[in-house]
Amino acid sequence: MSGAIVLSPSFGYIQEPEVIFKKVLNFFIKGVEYDTLEAPSLPIVIPKKVEPKVSAKEPLSVNKRTISVARKKKGKVVTPGPLRVSTLPSVISPTPKQTLSILGVIQYTNNARLVNKLVPLTGNELLNRNAQIKLNDMFDKQYFDHVSPTGVGPADLAKKVNYLFVIVGENLALGNFDGDQALVTAWMNSPGHRANILDTRFQEIGVAVGKGIYQGRETWLAVQSFGRPLSSCPSVSIELKAIIDADTIMSTYLHAQLDEKKRIIDGTNKSDRQYNVLIREFNALIPEYNLLIEKNFANTVRYNNGVTIFNTCINNNS
């Protein structure tokens, strides 16, 4: 969302009347009006957490590529159709003899990235938890899809484990693969899953593998959870925004004081001895007010520059 900070204009000095021989002259010099410091309305954009939603999709065969995305400004989900090994007999064992491992799946995934001259993914414990929750849920509820029967999708799981992201992706596989390499090879042979593995936007990975009963048969399930953390984008200074808010309140208070003093001055007879005292009090507040306005203006520009950099990072990586 965006907002605006409107900075109040500064006051010019009012020249104090000359006093000769401690007598107030009947003729006073008009106060000089200085140019005011206009602070234009500058947009304050506060990043707001957006929870992406992924619509349910039917599992597709591995020779088709489908990427379902939640098109939200701050968080994208990439989920190619789940991989069923029944369509890939060359890499499948009839029984779950081979063992799948988290480290092995990550290793062969990164090998595939290195072959394609991409930076390896870093293992992330939150994404590991994310993947394990997904795997357990599929066995428990006996489904094989990116969205559970209760409507829980990849973005919801990321939220559950407190993984703040720019973009997340998920690959699923079901069947008895002949080891970690065969599993990753099957994903790489599927365009949608390959796209996730080789996506340059992803920086981190979590994996879960497990053997259990699915539709009456003992089989393996595998989950890859990909992510680019929100921390990969330069953060917007919350502390600076708090300073801007506090200075805005103070400048509003000082502005009200100056308005009140000016009202009293305008209503005071110039022959009144209190007139000069009022003017001195008014002018004494002006440097403090103008300094605060200039500081707030500079901080607003700094804050908005940070917001621009953050939003550019989000948009370029989602």
Side-chain angles (χ1 to χ4, degrees):
M1 60 181 289
S2 61
I5 287 184
V6 180
L7 304 179
S8 303
S10 65
F11 280 82
Y13 284 102
I14 296 178
Q15 181 176 318
E16 181 177 340
E18 295 181 358
V19 179
I20 299 180
F21 304 118
K22 296 183 180 180
K23 292 183 179 180
V24 180
L25 300 176
N26 292 327
F27 175 77
F28 288 86
I29 300 175
K30 181 181 179 182
V32 178
E33 296 181 356
Y34 288 81
D35 291 335
T36 57
L37 174 65
E38 292 290 339
S41 300
L42 298 174
I44 293 295
V45 184
I46 304 174
K48 182 177 180 181
K49 189 174 181 182
V50 177
E51 303 303 335
K53 300 297 180 184
V54 186
S55 58
K57 299 289 182 181
E58 291 295 325
L60 301 178
S61 59
V62 297
N63 62 344
K64 295 182 180 179
R65 177 181 177 182
T66 297
I67 299 178
S68 304
V69 298
R71 299 188 179 279
K72 298 290 184 180
K73 180 178 180 181
K74 293 181 61 179
K76 186 174 181 180
V77 182
V78 183
T79 55
L83 178 66
R84 291 180 182 271
V85 298
S86 58
T87 60
L88 296 172
S90 61
V91 296
I92 301 165
S93 301
T95 58
K97 294 179 180 179
Q98 291 289 345
T99 299
L100 301 178
S101 68
I102 293 175
L103 292 180
V105 172
I106 293 176
Q107 176 187 337
Y108 286 110
T109 297
N110 280 333
N111 285 349
R113 289 177 67 91
L114 289 171
V115 168
N116 287 273
K117 299 180 180 180
L118 301 177
V119 177
L121 300 171
T122 302
N124 180 277
E125 284 303 315
L126 292 180
L127 289 178
N128 280 342
R129 288 175 53 195
N130 181 326
Q132 189 63 54
I133 292 172
K134 178 66 177 181
L135 185 143
N136 293 343
D137 195 56
M138 287 192 293
F139 272 131
D140 292 343
K141 294 185 174 65
Q142 292 290 288
Y143 72 97
F144 183 56
D145 204 334
H146 292 293
V147 180
S148 75
T150 58
V152 176
D156 303 302
L157 293 177
K159 177 182 177 182
K160 184 179 182 68
V161 300
N162 295 318
Y163 184 79
L164 304 180
F165 64 91
V166 176
I167 180 172
V168 290
E170 184 179 79
N171 281 350
L172 303 178
L174 180 151
N176 298 318
F177 293 87
D178 191 17
D180 300 326
Q181 185 175 14
L183 169 60
V184 175
T185 297
W187 271 327
M188 288 294 290
N189 288 336
S190 167
H193 301 88
R194 177 188 178 90
N196 268 355
I197 291 174
L198 301 183
D199 197 320
T200 58
R201 295 170 297 179
F202 293 136
Q203 296 178 336
E204 298 176 335
I205 185 173
V207 171
V209 294
K211 183 170 60 174
I213 302 300
Y214 180 76
Q215 295 183 350
R217 297 176 59 187
E218 187 179 47
T219 187
W220 284 86
L221 277 174
V223 180
Q224 282 181 316
S225 295
F226 303 95
R228 184 185 187 96
L230 193 62
S231 60
S232 65
C233 290
S235 63
V236 177
S237 176
I238 303 302
E239 294 78 9
L240 184 58
K241 178 60 167 58
I243 292 173
I244 292 172
D245 290 342
D247 285 348
T248 299
I249 293 173
M250 179 56 70
S251 64
T252 301
Y253 170 74
L254 291 178
H255 189 285
Q257 280 196 315
L258 287 166
D259 280 345
E260 178 62 15
K261 289 183 180 297
K262 183 65 165 58
R263 184 189 66 78
I264 295 174
I265 289 172
D266 291 342
T268 301
N269 193 301
K270 295 181 180 180
S271 63
D272 191 326
R273 293 184 179 182
Q274 191 66 19
Y275 186 71
N276 286 349
V277 175
L278 294 172
I279 289 181
R280 281 195 293 270
E281 290 177 352
F282 180 90
N283 285 341
L285 277 180
I286 289 178
E288 180 182 356
Y289 178 81
N290 284 343
L291 183 63
L292 187 61
I293 289 296
E294 291 174 3
K295 173 190 171 188
N296 215 10
F297 178 84
N299 283 341
T300 301
V301 171
R302 283 176 54 205
Y303 180 85
N304 288 338
N305 285 342
V307 168
T308 298
I309 293 171
F310 176 85
N311 286 341
T312 299
C313 179
I314 294 292
N315 293 330
N316 288 345
N317 293 286
S318 62

